[in-house]
Amino acid sequence: DADVTQTPRNRITKTGKRIMLECSQTKGHDRMYWYRQDPGLGLRLIYYSFDVKDINKGEISDGYSVSRQAQAKFSLSLESAIPNQTALYFCATSDQGERGAPNTGELFFGEGSRLTVL
Amino acid sequence: AQKITQTQPGMFVQEKEAVTLDCTYDTSDPSYGLFWYKQPSSGEMIFLIYQGSYDQQNATEGRYSLNFQKARKSANLVISASQLGDSAMYFCAMREGNYGGSQGNLIFGKGTKLSVKP
């Protein structure tokens, strides 16, 4: 089983619908992130969270909201989906790095959720 | 200004030859980390290699090496002895600040699509 699991993996929806993408992790990491990937634009940060009480906006948070239900769960919502939110969405985690060992801050990614808004 | 620049949208390399993927970065923070990720056509993000700004030696991981030129702010990925399975998108990314003291997110370039020819 994957350490970082995203559901659904693929979703087609219509403009105006509410969509939730879910992410759960078994790595025990404190930090979780949502990124969006568009062709030719790389990955851009939507939201990030350091723990259940600490949620922060990223570069492109407009039109999105998130919920950190538990250390292991971080969901992304599109309250009213629009076609330009069609993209590949990635959840990622990283270790807080306060355990004394060197930590590069590598991000561990889920397999991605491909969302199409018609 | 872009923080991470990958100037090669696409590249071709002959199987068994070496290839260099370019990456330049822009930061005023003396502490940072540089990463390369591979994204095959299946979509997952695979971590390849990491270089810290204070690391004295260039990072190597098997057939991957990172040509780190700090003064030029470049962090090129070198893949030796290319294989057909190396065909993928490659992303360069940067974390600004020490990992523990920063927000930890990575800033990604737009990617380079590498195609390995048999």
Side-chain angles (χ1 to χ4, degrees):
Chain A
D1 288 343
D3 293 326
V4 183
T5 303
Q6 294 183 227
T7 55
R9 294 291 312 282
N10 289 284
R11 181 73 183 268
I12 301 174
T13 191
K14 294 182 178 179
T15 298
K17 295 292 188 181
R18 184 179 186 273
I19 294 296
M20 179 180 285
L21 306 180
E22 298 183 334
C23 177
S24 62
Q25 52 115 346
T26 59
K27 299 191 75 67
H29 289 170
D30 295 311
R31 301 183 176 191
M32 297 187 75
Y33 307 83
W34 275 105
Y35 281 88
R36 167 180 172 159
Q37 183 182 7
D38 297 277
L41 294 180
L43 280 74
R44 294 178 292 167
L45 182 66
I46 306 172
Y47 270 95
Y48 63 100
S49 170
F50 284 1
D51 63 41
V52 294
K53 296 180 181 179
D54 185 357
I55 293 177
N56 304 275
K57 293 182 177 180
E59 176 188 356
I60 53 164
S61 60
D62 286 349
Y64 301 95
S65 62
V66 291
S67 174
R68 186 84 183 263
Q69 301 96 325
Q71 187 209 29
K73 295 183 182 297
F74 192 38
S75 60
L76 176 72
S77 293
L78 289 69
E79 295 300 325
S80 180
I82 56 177
N84 75 2
Q85 292 178 311
T86 293
L88 180 59
Y89 291 85
F90 284 104
C91 174
T93 74
S94 68
D95 192 355
Q96 191 171 3
E98 293 181 352
R99 300 182 179 86
N103 191 319
T104 69
E106 172 193 349
L107 294 187
F108 296 84
F109 285 87
E111 295 172 306
S113 295
R114 189 168 296 280
L115 177 65
T116 302
V117 183
L118 301 177
Chain B
Q2 288 185 19
K3 295 268 188 177
I4 295 288
T5 302
Q6 296 181 252
T7 57
Q8 307 151 314
M11 288 191 68
F12 288 91
V13 65
Q14 202 69 37
E15 191 179 9
K16 301 181 183 178
E17 293 185 349
V19 63
T20 298
L21 306 184
D22 294 340
C23 174
T24 58
Y25 60 92
D26 182 24
T27 182
S28 58
D29 198 316
S31 180
Y32 51 89
L34 297 158
F35 301 77
W36 279 92
Y37 282 82
K38 172 184 177 181
Q39 185 181 43
S41 59
S42 52
E44 71 267 33
M45 295 290 288
I46 302 169
F47 167 73
L48 295 178
I49 198 166
Y50 168 82
Q51 180 86 42
S53 59
Y54 296 118
D55 293 343
Q56 295 296 314
Q57 294 187 329
N58 287 344
T60 60
E61 290 286 349
R63 293 186 299 110
Y64 304 107
S65 60
L66 199 152
N67 184 1
F68 181 45
Q69 298 190 38
K70 196 169 184 177
R72 295 184 177 184
K73 295 189 175 181
S74 73
N76 298 339
L77 177 70
V78 180
I79 306 175
S80 63
S82 297
Q83 303 172 355
L84 296 178
D86 293 333
S87 294
M89 283 290 290
Y90 289 82
F91 291 98
C92 179
M94 176 176 66
R95 182 206 69 245
E96 292 181 296
N98 283 319
Y99 176 64
S102 74
Q103 64 193 37
N105 67 292
L106 302 188
I107 302 164
F108 286 82
K110 296 181 178 182
T112 295
K113 185 175 183 179
L114 178 66
S115 299
V116 180
K117 297 187 289 186

